[in-house]
Amino acid sequence: MAALLVAGLLSACSTVSAPPRVAQAPQPVPAPVAPLPDAQSPIKVAVLVPLSGQSAAIGQAMLDAAQMALFDMAGDQLQLLPRDTKGTPSGAADAARQALAEGARLIIGPLFAADVAAVRPIAQNAGVDVLAFTNDATQAGNGTYVLGFVPADQVGRVAGYARSRGVTRFTVLAPRSPYGDAVVNALQAIGPRLGTMTTQVERYDPAVTDLSVPAKQVAQVTPQPQAVMLAEGGQRAQGIAQALAANGVQPQQVKLLGTGLWDDSSQGALGQEPALVGAWYAAPAPQTRARFESQFEQVYGRKPPRIATLAYDATSIAAVLTRSGGPVPFDRMAMTNPNGFEGLDGLFRLRADGMVERGLAVMEITPTGSRVVDPAPPSFEFLGQ
């Protein structure tokens, strides 16, 4: 397996000084022709993140995580080219052109779907692949890999676990939004393989504040579903669970299920809502990420956003392939190794269609946090793939 050796690198990180922090991306003078790489020179990889504008704090954290991975794993073989996307498609396009003019052979980022859409054709024309942080599956393909946490794997994993516990009838509650569409489509698509049915789909305006209306629609159905999938996180998930319980959908009889939106401690403790205690969701196993988050806070003096692990893992892929890939380190056969990689977010692999498959654990909400009830698979062989 082309493993990222996360355990070793994190233990090493705890014994060394912090990597240099880039407070602001340099502004290079664009060259008309990208320089040819020298055999002795490091491989250049662009990191496109917003370092100015409304999302600058997230962008800086992503860059900091990338530099931790560079410091832990790459040595002198890899050089990062941080470039500010300004959080806009035009800024992302300019940043990509600058980095490619300087000889970048892989692009890590950008963060937002619209920015990825602006970068994709530029990267394709240059023959350079993109490891994007977006979770918009429509951006995948033709050398662009969507590293963000898309709902399909999460929905399939938790629905499969529920099926193993006897659940065959599902209801889904989802806002009328692209994310809600993705959750509904994923649950319906996996039904034939699992031998399950989605017997009810309730959609609602994502801006609605009174969540009792969709909850009542679920409660009035006879017979009640065995499980309800909620396409919400944080306080919205708590509110819907409370409304369901108030209308007679009791968690003792109807299992509540969630998505990766629940896998974010910054949204508050979901277990503070009694109706969510015992609910299940699928997410990367938390142990390795917890060590990274602790180390990040020790190095930079603040907690990282949840998606900072994507920047670390993407940079680690670049480092691993640089060490082992020879003159063409980012060959697509190497990028899409079917055995995958082991990163901060667990087992994952890049597919030829640009999507990312993840080996996820099933988590259960408790009053004091979440616990693993079904561990993540140790390899893709355990998934029968």
Side-chain angles (χ1 to χ4, degrees):
M1 173 178 290
L4 299 187
L5 305 178
V6 171
L9 63 90
L10 283 175
S11 62
C13 184
S14 65
T15 62
V16 295
S17 59
R21 179 176 178 181
V22 177
Q24 177 63 43
Q27 297 300 316
V29 177
V33 180
L36 294 175
D38 183 89
Q40 302 301 317
S41 62
I43 300 296
K44 296 179 179 180
V45 171
V47 180
L48 308 186
V49 287
L51 296 171
S52 60
Q54 293 183 342
S55 302
I58 295 177
Q60 183 64 60
M62 301 293 279
L63 178 56
D64 290 341
Q67 293 208 116
M68 285 181 68
L70 177 73
F71 187 74
D72 290 337
M73 302 196 65
D76 297 329
Q77 296 176 295
L78 189 66
Q79 178 185 351
L80 297 184
L81 302 179
R83 296 294 176 264
D84 183 9
T85 67
K86 302 179 176 61
T88 66
S90 61
D94 289 342
R97 292 189 188 99
Q98 291 173 356
L100 291 169
E102 285 198 59
R105 300 172 68 182
L106 180 71
I107 292 175
I108 294 175
L111 181 58
F112 303 114
D115 297 356
V116 177
V119 167
R120 285 181 69 195
I122 298 169
Q124 288 172 24
N125 289 339
V128 171
D129 287 352
V130 178
L131 298 177
F133 301 136
T134 180
N135 65 357
D136 183 353
T138 65
Q139 298 304 321
N142 296 319
T144 295
Y145 301 92
V146 171
L147 294 186
F149 302 107
V150 298
D153 283 349
Q154 303 154 15
V155 171
R157 178 71 167 97
V158 74
Y161 180 73
R163 179 67 183 90
S164 74
R165 295 298 183 268
V167 174
T168 58
R169 299 192 317 277
F170 292 86
T171 285
V172 57
L173 269 167
R176 296 188 189 95
S177 67
Y179 189 86
D181 293 343
V183 171
V184 171
N185 293 340
L187 188 61
Q188 291 176 331
I190 201 162
R193 182 165 70 84
L194 295 179
T196 61
M197 294 184 296
T198 302
T199 56
Q200 184 183 12
V201 176
E202 291 295 333
R203 307 298 297 271
Y204 51 88
D205 188 325
V208 70
T209 56
D210 183 4
L211 298 171
S212 65
V213 175
K216 287 177 182 177
Q217 295 297 321
V218 174
Q220 291 171 358
V221 172
T222 304
Q224 284 194 341
Q226 294 171 297
V228 178
M229 175 75 69
L230 308 182
E232 296 275 16
Q235 293 182 348
R236 299 280 292 179
Q238 291 174 312
I240 290 180
Q242 186 179 56
L244 287 169
N247 283 279
V249 181
Q250 298 301 322
Q252 294 83 359
Q253 287 80 40
V254 180
K255 181 63 69 172
L256 299 186
L257 309 176
T259 70
L261 294 180
W262 295 8
D263 185 36
D264 189 346
S265 59
S266 67
Q267 297 194 55
L270 293 176
Q272 292 176 1
E273 169 51 54
L276 278 176
V277 172
W280 296 328
Y281 66 96
Q287 293 85 355
T288 304
R289 185 177 80 241
R291 293 196 294 271
F292 160 76
E293 291 173 344
S294 175
Q295 186 61 39
F296 187 102
E297 186 172 10
Q298 181 180 343
V299 171
Y300 295 112
R302 67 189 191 284
K303 294 182 180 296
R306 172 65 185 89
I307 60 173
T309 55
L310 299 181
Y312 193 106
D313 282 354
T315 306
S316 297
I317 290 175
V320 167
L321 296 182
T322 295
R323 290 203 306 262
S324 60
V328 188
F330 308 126
D331 173 81
R332 287 189 185 174
M333 288 187 64
M335 296 273 282
T336 58
N337 185 324
N339 292 322
F341 303 88
E342 183 73 30
L344 295 181
D345 288 309
L347 182 69
F348 70 101
R349 64 181 172 187
L350 311 181
R351 296 192 329 206
D353 64 1
M355 297 302 294
V356 174
E357 288 182 84
R358 297 185 180 275
L360 304 173
V362 176
M363 312 294 295
E364 183 176 79
I365 293 176
T366 76
T368 57
S370 297
R371 68 184 186 96
V372 176
V373 292
D374 195 39
S379 76
F380 282 102
E381 289 181 341
F382 282 77
L383 295 177
Q385 302 174 39

